[in-house]
Amino acid sequence: MITKIGVLTSGGDAPGMNAAIRGVTRYAIQKGLAVEGIVRGYEGLLSHETMPLNRRDVGEIIHRGGTMLRTARCLEFLETDTQKKALDYLHKLEIDALVVIGGDGSMRGAQALSRLGMPTVTIPGTIDNDMMGTQYTVGFDTSVNTVLESVNKIRDTAFSHDRVAVIEVMGRHAGFIALHAGMASGAEAVLVPEHPVDLQSLCEHLAESHRMKKMSSIVVVAEGAAKGSDVVDYIRNHTYLEPNLTVLGYVQRGGSPSAYDAIIAGMFSQKAVDSLVAGTYNCVIGLINNLVVATPYTEAENLRFPIDENMYQLVHWLGR
């Protein structure tokens, strides 16, 4: 029987993590459970940084970006001996189950603890939207809207100066941010890791658009597809067009969560706690076909959701 749970955030921060911490804490208390917050993710389990959480401790955080529990990347946690030390500390705190909020790496840490006997559930929190077992991760919608706001401002300058604006966004292994922001902003082209980058074809595409009297263009590049600086150099050396580069960087991770991210964080939190109370452990909480579900880690490994190929084609058709 579970009477006390731990909660931590790990890996890269994402808008909505605080909403998830709030949701887990308050819903767990509603269910009669005690809650312990672990500071700085798995690193906090090794340095023994924790604090009990009550309803007031998580007040006034739903609208804040980042994570009140802080976060860190802990390479030591890849080692079994380190995982056992963390497990011993969880037992010392009399924590019966752990809720992990983070991305793929964070989930692997949760899986490791589950193999050692600690019940865990993972709430997907990453702006990249690329986790197994779910079609949506907390933070993605906010990030896309942050990129969209920036692209719209950059387009004003590109139009005024008849330029090609190349905008590099996050997405090391997946092009969800680039694709969705490109679609929403009316970009002329998007470059994503899922498709081979053909800069010659890109130049031909841009040149054709300009022959059709389009005097400025937007190209959104996922960092895992190509370096924005390389794209700019190629366009400059192979066309008459004038490209410039904006790398959006960490601005994509910050800011208040969108309404959608705050709502989804709350729903994921409820499912996480309900799953633990019901005895459903060692799973990832996710959104699949608009249903919030808990999928065992072993099954989630076979549930990968790719980018929308129709949207990828549509961006380029509409961008001419």
Coordinates of all heavy atoms in Angstrom, one line a residue, residues 18 25 64 67 87 93 119 134-135 137 143 146 156 165 167 182 187 190 195 204 207 240 294 305 312:
N18 N 6.1 23.0 -13.5 CA 5.5 23.5 -12.2 C 4.0 23.1 -12.0 O 3.6 22.7 -11.0 CB 5.7 25.0 -12.0 CG 7.1 25.3 -11.5 OD1 7.7 24.6 -10.7 ND2 7.6 26.5 -11.9
T25 N 1.2 17.0 -6.3 CA 1.2 17.3 -4.9 C -0.2 17.4 -4.4 O -0.6 16.7 -3.4 CB 2.0 18.5 -4.6 OG1 3.3 18.4 -5.0 CG2 1.9 18.8 -3.1
R64 N 4.2 29.7 -13.6 CA 5.6 29.9 -13.7 C 6.3 28.9 -14.6 O 6.0 27.7 -14.6 CB 6.3 29.9 -12.3 CG 5.8 31.0 -11.4 CD 6.5 30.9 -10.1 NE 6.0 31.9 -9.1 CZ 6.3 32.0 -7.9 NH1 7.1 31.1 -7.4 NH2 5.7 32.9 -7.1
T67 N 11.1 25.0 -13.1 CA 10.6 24.1 -12.1 C 11.1 24.5 -10.7 O 12.3 24.7 -10.5 CB 11.1 22.6 -12.4 OG1 11.0 21.8 -11.2 CG2 12.6 22.6 -12.9
L87 N 18.1 4.4 -4.4 CA 17.0 3.6 -3.8 C 17.0 3.5 -2.3 O 16.0 3.6 -1.7 CB 17.1 2.2 -4.5 CG 16.0 1.2 -4.0 CD1 14.6 1.6 -4.5 CD2 16.3 -0.2 -4.5
L93 N 13.6 7.6 3.4 CA 12.6 8.6 3.5 C 11.2 8.0 3.6 O 10.2 8.7 3.7 CB 12.7 9.5 2.3 CG 13.9 10.4 2.1 CD1 13.9 11.1 0.8 CD2 13.9 11.4 3.3
P119 N 8.4 1.4 -7.2 CA 7.4 1.7 -8.2 C 7.6 3.1 -8.7 O 7.8 4.0 -7.9 CB 6.1 1.6 -7.3 CG 6.5 0.7 -6.2 CD 7.9 1.0 -5.9
T134 N 3.6 8.3 -25.9 CA 2.7 9.4 -25.8 C 2.8 10.2 -27.1 O 3.9 10.3 -27.7 CB 3.0 10.3 -24.6 OG1 2.0 11.4 -24.6 CG2 4.4 10.9 -24.7
Q135 N 1.7 10.8 -27.5 CA 1.7 11.7 -28.7 C 1.9 13.2 -28.3 O 2.0 14.0 -29.1 CB 0.3 11.6 -29.4 CG 0.1 10.2 -30.1 CD -1.3 10.1 -30.6 OE1 -2.3 10.2 -29.9 NE2 -1.4 9.8 -31.9
T137 N 3.8 15.8 -25.1 CA 4.6 16.0 -23.9 C 4.4 17.4 -23.4 O 4.3 18.4 -24.2 CB 6.1 15.8 -24.2 OG1 6.6 16.8 -25.2 CG2 6.4 14.4 -24.7
S143 N 6.3 26.0 -26.2 CA 7.5 26.2 -27.0 C 7.2 26.6 -28.4 O 7.8 27.5 -29.0 CB 8.4 24.9 -27.0 OG 9.5 25.1 -27.8
T146 N 6.1 30.1 -28.4 CA 7.2 31.0 -28.2 C 8.0 31.2 -29.6 O 8.3 32.3 -29.9 CB 8.2 30.4 -27.2 OG1 7.5 30.4 -25.9 CG2 9.4 31.3 -27.0
D156 N 8.7 40.4 -40.0 CA 8.6 41.8 -40.3 C 9.9 42.4 -40.9 O 9.9 43.2 -41.9 CB 8.2 42.6 -39.0 CG 6.8 42.3 -38.5 OD1 6.0 41.7 -39.3 OD2 6.5 42.5 -37.3
A165 N 15.0 34.8 -44.0 CA 15.3 34.7 -42.5 C 15.4 33.2 -42.2 O 14.5 32.4 -42.4 CB 14.3 35.3 -41.7
I167 N 15.9 30.5 -39.3 CA 15.6 30.5 -37.8 C 15.9 29.1 -37.3 O 15.2 28.2 -37.7 CB 14.2 31.0 -37.5 CG1 14.0 32.4 -38.1 CG2 14.0 30.9 -36.0 CD1 12.5 32.7 -38.2
G182 N 6.7 26.2 -38.1 CA 6.8 26.5 -39.6 C 5.4 26.5 -40.2 O 5.1 27.4 -40.9
A187 N 5.9 29.5 -42.9 CA 7.3 29.4 -43.4 C 7.3 28.9 -44.8 O 6.5 28.0 -45.2 CB 8.1 28.6 -42.4
V190 N 10.8 24.1 -44.0 CA 11.3 23.6 -42.7 C 12.3 22.5 -43.0 O 12.1 21.7 -43.9 CB 10.2 23.1 -41.8 CG1 9.2 24.3 -41.5 CG2 9.4 22.0 -42.5
H195 N 14.0 14.1 -42.2 CA 14.2 14.1 -43.7 C 15.6 14.5 -44.0 O 16.1 15.5 -43.4 CB 13.2 15.1 -44.3 CG 11.8 14.5 -44.4 ND1 11.3 13.9 -45.5 CD2 10.8 14.5 -43.5 CE1 10.0 13.5 -45.3 NE2 9.7 13.9 -44.0
E204 N 16.6 26.1 -54.7 CA 15.7 26.1 -55.9 C 14.3 26.5 -55.5 O 13.6 27.3 -56.2 CB 15.7 24.7 -56.5 CG 17.0 24.4 -57.2 CD 17.1 23.0 -57.7 OE1 16.1 22.2 -57.4 OE2 18.1 22.6 -58.2
A207 N 14.3 30.2 -54.7 CA 14.5 31.0 -55.9 C 13.2 31.0 -56.7 O 12.8 32.1 -57.3 CB 15.6 30.4 -56.7
Y240 N 21.4 34.5 -55.3 CA 21.5 36.0 -55.2 C 20.8 36.5 -54.0 O 20.7 37.7 -53.7 CB 20.9 36.6 -56.5 CG 19.4 36.3 -56.7 CD1 18.4 37.1 -56.1 CD2 19.1 35.2 -57.4 CE1 17.1 36.7 -56.2 CE2 17.7 34.9 -57.6 CZ 16.7 35.6 -57.0 OH 15.4 35.3 -57.2
A294 N -2.0 5.3 -19.1 CA -0.8 4.8 -18.5 C -0.3 3.6 -19.2 O -1.0 2.6 -19.2 CB -1.1 4.5 -17.0
F305 N 5.8 7.9 -32.0 CA 4.9 8.7 -32.8 C 5.7 9.7 -33.7 O 6.2 10.6 -33.1 CB 3.8 9.4 -32.0 CG 2.9 8.4 -31.2 CD1 3.2 8.1 -29.9 CD2 1.8 7.8 -31.8 CE1 2.4 7.2 -29.2 CE2 1.0 6.9 -31.1 CZ 1.3 6.6 -29.8
Y312 N 4.2 18.1 -43.2 CA 5.5 18.4 -43.7 C 5.4 18.8 -45.2 O 6.0 19.8 -45.6 CB 6.5 17.2 -43.5 CG 7.8 17.4 -44.1 CD1 8.8 18.2 -43.5 CD2 8.2 16.9 -45.4 CE1 10.1 18.4 -44.0 CE2 9.4 17.1 -46.0 CZ 10.4 17.8 -45.3 OH 11.6 18.1 -45.8

